[in-house]
Amino acid sequence: MRTRVVFNQKGGVGKSSIAVNLAAISAYQGFKTLLIDLDPQANSSQYLLGDDATYSADKPALEPNIENYFEEMLGTTQSKGLLSNAIGSILKNRAKGLQSYVHSSPFKNLDVIPASPTLGALAYALESKHKIYKLRDALQQLEGEYERVYIDTPPAFNFFTLSALIASDRVLIPFDCDVFSKRALQTLIENVIETQDDHNDRLEIEGIVVNQFQAQAKLPREVVQQLKDEGLPVLASMLPPSILMKESHFKNQPLIHLATDHKLTQAYQSLFNEIEQNKI
Ligand SMILES: Nc1ncnc2c1ncn2[C@@H]1O[C@H](COP(=O)(O)OP(=O)(O)OP(=O)(O)O)[C@@H](O)[C@H]1O
Ligand SMILES: [Mg+2]
């Protein structure tokens, strides 16, 4: 099983689009694939599961979801404290394996653990009870069930992103050619290196995914060249801007199912091949 986290604390750089479309290509190519959504915005859950995963004031989030997993895990701990001699209660309240929170997507080989809007409220309790390794441990139980796991993360460096970095072997960093994004990359890479040092020496920076790259314009070319000159691992396959991405979100159909021959789909396909061949 290979687990990739798509991470950048900057918002709107393409994390959810990249996590979902790479997961969809992976599944399409026959890999049993799981997408875990750790972002309370639940964009990738909605992208793949459509209305079922869309919540509103009168419609609760789809259950079971990743929040239920973390909640039940905390519930277990509380029972242990309160009912330390009641072994039956401990077993009854034990959080189930991650498999119990999985939903099938409409796409063959592709499953999803959705997010929920109130997930963020659990961060403090999870942090104070030192649950940062739980996602990693739970994912290890899925070895054999899935060949590829993609984790979508919120635009922040918080409990959930750190959990995901600890649970993964590779990190993909979307980059949108913006000058502010370039400055944010420094902090981001420092965060990843600190996570490698402190928690997860398996974690490799798989590469920077240049998104919405306008090959004809001078500035984006210069910005990307600067990254390369600084020795940053920029992946060769860059994703062009296209309105097809919004259409794909709107129709809840990943690109590989919506328009196989489109240039954006082809760029994603080439990115997928590049990372799969990456022998880091
Ligand atoms: N290659 C692309 N071409 C055109 N639009 C794109 C492309 N990639 C992403 N977008 C658009 O950019 C916006 C942000 O993308 P996305 O939601 O994937 O980013 P994100 O990093 O997950 O955002 P957030 O930080 O809010 O979670 C979306 O409206 C999406 O449709
Ligand atoms: Mg997102």
Side-chain angles (χ1 to χ4, degrees), residues 2-280:
R2 197 171 283 172
T3 303
R4 294 190 167 93
V5 53
V6 184
F7 170 58
N8 189 327
Q9 68 267 47
K10 185 163 184 286
V13 292
K15 292 179 288 295
S16 303
S17 305
I18 290 169
V20 167
N21 281 291
L22 290 178
I25 293 174
S26 163
Y28 185 78
Q29 295 211 346
F31 294 104
K32 193 86 179 86
T33 304
L34 174 67
L35 184 129
I36 303 178
D37 190 353
L38 286 183
D39 183 358
Q41 296 179 97
N43 290 153
S44 45
S45 314
Q46 289 163 14
Y47 191 178
L48 283 172
L49 302 175
D51 284 348
D52 288 349
T54 308
Y55 53 81
S56 65
D58 1 276
K59 187 170 176 281
L62 179 64
E63 292 195 351
N65 55 50
I66 196 73
E67 180 180 355
N68 301 138
Y69 167 73
F70 283 119
E71 252 169 11
E72 285 174 29
M73 200 176 59
L74 284 169
T76 312
T77 311
Q78 278 156 18
S79 311
K80 271 183 182 158
L82 290 170
L83 302 159
S84 52
N85 57 357
I87 218 71
S89 306
I90 294 170
L91 293 175
K92 199 169 124 242
N93 287 321
R94 182 175 244 153
K96 297 182 281 289
L98 268 187
Q99 192 63 46
S100 308
Y101 304 83
V102 163
H103 296 252
S104 305
S105 81
F107 311 101
K108 197 175 164 208
N109 295 327
L110 183 53
D111 289 347
V112 186
I113 300 183
S116 66
T118 46
L119 176 64
L122 284 181
Y124 178 74
L126 288 165
E127 237 158 41
S128 60
K129 291 185 182 292
H130 311 289
K131 300 297 184 191
I132 202 73
Y133 296 106
K134 287 290 177 185
L135 182 66
R136 179 197 66 186
D137 297 346
L139 263 174
Q140 278 167 1
Q141 305 297 315
L142 296 185
E143 188 80 55
E145 299 268 347
Y146 293 99
E147 293 165 286
R148 297 291 179 270
V149 177
Y150 285 84
I151 308 181
D152 186 20
T153 56
F157 188 53
N158 62 16
F159 172 86
F160 298 103
T161 36
L162 182 57
S163 279
L165 287 165
I166 292 174
S168 299
D169 359 87
R170 298 173 180 209
V171 50
L172 283 169
I173 303 170
F175 174 75
D176 61 1
C177 300
D178 183 277
V179 176
F180 295 126
S181 298
K182 183 174 174 293
R183 292 185 192 134
L185 268 185
Q186 180 77 25
T187 320
L188 191 161
I189 290 180
E190 281 167 15
N191 287 337
V192 172
I193 291 173
E194 203 175 325
T195 308
Q196 287 168 327
D197 288 349
D198 294 349
H199 304 281
N200 181 9
D201 56 12
R202 284 179 307 130
L203 182 67
E204 304 273 1
I205 298 181
E206 188 154 53
I208 295 172
V209 180
V210 179
N211 189 29
Q212 305 223 40
F213 181 63
Q214 290 174 298
Q216 310 310 322
K218 194 161 162 252
L219 185 64
R221 283 206 312 268
E222 281 176 7
V223 174
V224 170
Q225 190 54 49
Q226 281 175 11
L227 299 185
K228 291 181 180 168
D229 293 345
E230 288 167 21
L232 293 170
V234 180
L235 290 162
S237 317
M238 301 187 192
L239 305 168
S242 167
I243 191 69
L244 189 71
M245 184 54 85
K246 290 213 166 37
E247 193 184 328
S248 165
H249 288 181
F250 181 71
K251 293 188 170 162
N252 306 108
Q253 279 194 51
L255 297 165
I256 193 74
H257 297 281
L258 180 66
T260 320
D261 297 328
H262 190 277
K263 67 176 191 315
L264 181 57
T265 316
Q266 295 295 312
Y268 262 104
Q269 183 76 62
S270 130
L271 173 64
F272 180 79
N273 295 341
E274 186 178 349
I275 60 175
E276 284 291 319
Q277 282 154 19
N278 217 338
K279 292 280 183 284
I280 53 166

